[in-house]
Amino acid sequence: MIEIRVRRRGVAGFGVFTLLMVAVFVGLGVWQLQRRAEKHALIAALTERLAAAPGSLPGLAQWNALTPDRDEFRRVSFVARYERRPDAMVYSSGSAVRDDVSGPGTWAFMPARQPTGETVVINAGFVQNTMQDRAQEDRAVAPLITNEPVALTGYIRFPEAAGALTPPENPAKRLWFTRDHLAMARALGWGGDGKPIAPFYIDLEQPVPASGIPRPGPLEVHLKDDHLQYAITWFALAGAVVIAFGVWLRAQQRAAAFRQQDVRARRKR
């Protein structure tokens, strides 16, 4: 009787553990399906924004109401004049939203003054600058600074935060490793006359300079979507745990039956 009780407790304990593992794996699978639905909704929203006709650039009074969730990747058109101030370059190993960009190279970030006086930072495009050479970047952006207003079309973007492993900026080369245009503005004196700087920057779509460098261009959505295969993996693990428990339980039952037969045979002797 004691052996039977111990065996039952072992089966019950392993059964509870199996249920817990199944609940965890199924929960993770459902979570991945929910994330998949959210990712598809995000892709649809971003695709719609990128394909929409360009609107006007938000004015100073609207800046505080802008949010990345609602406003990132909005297409806008406006007029501005590139300022004669030091530009910045941002290292790039490629682009998740530009099929025509393959790194390594740099993005050319430049301040532009609106007719109303506010400064908007423009990512004027990609420079195939493998060694992040400052002179090469200077030659690429110099023709853009004409002191004349230019009609620009692009996409609203918001600054990135540096990660734990992000290299620090190189002030001598005016080289950054994150798209933090506000940090660039502080370091390089953009808007030093007291005029406000927009909390967003613009990824330029057009115009394309005569030389083709820097190279602006349209953006496309290429978000990674592996959630379905992750969900299938979690559900498969849940099934595997159930099968393993069933095999183990069947083995326990057979072992108990053999022990009972052995006990009966000994009694008959």
Side-chain angles (χ1 to χ4, degrees):
M1 290 297 292
I2 294 176
E3 181 182 352
I4 293 174
R5 290 177 182 174
V6 171
R7 188 165 61 249
R8 286 178 178 174
R9 289 177 182 173
V11 171
F14 196 21
V16 170
F17 174 77
T18 299
L19 287 175
L20 289 174
M21 294 302 296
V22 169
V24 169
F25 289 147
V26 170
L28 289 171
V30 171
W31 175 61
Q32 286 294 338
L33 292 178
Q34 291 172 341
R35 290 197 63 194
R36 182 172 183 263
E38 293 170 356
K39 180 67 70 62
H40 284 191
L42 176 60
I43 291 172
L46 294 181
T47 301
E48 182 179 357
R49 291 180 199 172
L50 293 176
S56 58
L57 188 71
L60 176 62
Q62 300 171 286
W63 288 357
N64 289 336
L66 298 177
T67 64
D69 289 342
R70 188 176 61 248
D71 299 295
E72 187 133 33
F73 295 107
R74 277 175 52 190
R75 285 183 80 208
V76 293
S77 290
F78 59 101
V79 173
R81 171 178 51 84
Y82 287 114
E83 294 189 274
R84 294 189 180 277
R85 292 181 180 272
D87 66 284
M89 55 183 179
V90 179
Y91 173 79
S92 172
S93 60
S95 175
V97 290
R98 288 274 302 275
D99 288 335
D100 62 324
V101 169
S102 59
T106 54
W107 302 105
F109 275 65
M110 307 173 63
R113 182 64 60 90
Q114 295 182 264
T116 51
E118 296 85 17
T119 295
V120 177
V121 177
I122 311 295
N123 173 13
F126 185 73
V127 179
Q128 201 79 44
N129 190 354
T130 305
M131 301 304 294
Q132 300 92 56
D133 180 61
R134 183 68 254 174
Q136 181 178 344
E137 190 86 2
D138 289 340
R139 290 192 298 270
V141 303
L144 300 180
I145 306 174
T146 63
N147 207 34
E148 296 292 332
V150 182
L152 305 172
T153 297
Y155 308 86
I156 291 177
R157 303 296 303 275
F158 288 86
E160 298 173 335
L165 301 178
T166 303
E169 66 272 12
N170 183 333
K173 297 176 71 172
R174 305 200 300 274
L175 172 65
W176 269 258
F177 293 88
T178 56
R179 297 183 176 205
D180 186 352
H181 72 287
L182 298 177
M184 301 173 203
R186 290 190 295 269
L188 301 177
W190 299 345
D193 55 2
K195 294 291 186 179
I197 296 178
F200 54 85
Y201 67 91
I202 300 297
D203 261 348
L204 191 65
E205 177 185 347
Q206 57 185 5
V208 179
S211 65
I213 302 172
R215 187 166 74 244
L219 306 186
E220 296 181 3
V221 179
H222 297 293
L223 297 180
K224 195 173 182 181
D225 182 15
D226 295 330
H227 299 297
L228 181 58
Q229 70 183 61
Y230 290 153
I232 292 173
T233 299
W234 290 123
F235 291 141
L237 287 173
V241 169
V242 172
I243 292 171
F245 176 75
V247 171
W248 176 83
L249 182 61
R250 179 62 175 165
Q252 293 295 308
Q253 291 172 342
R254 286 182 178 177
F258 286 142
R259 283 194 293 268
Q260 288 180 357
Q261 290 177 0
D262 185 54
V263 170
R264 290 170 184 168
R266 288 179 181 179
R267 287 175 179 176
K268 287 181 179 180
R269 292 176 189 173

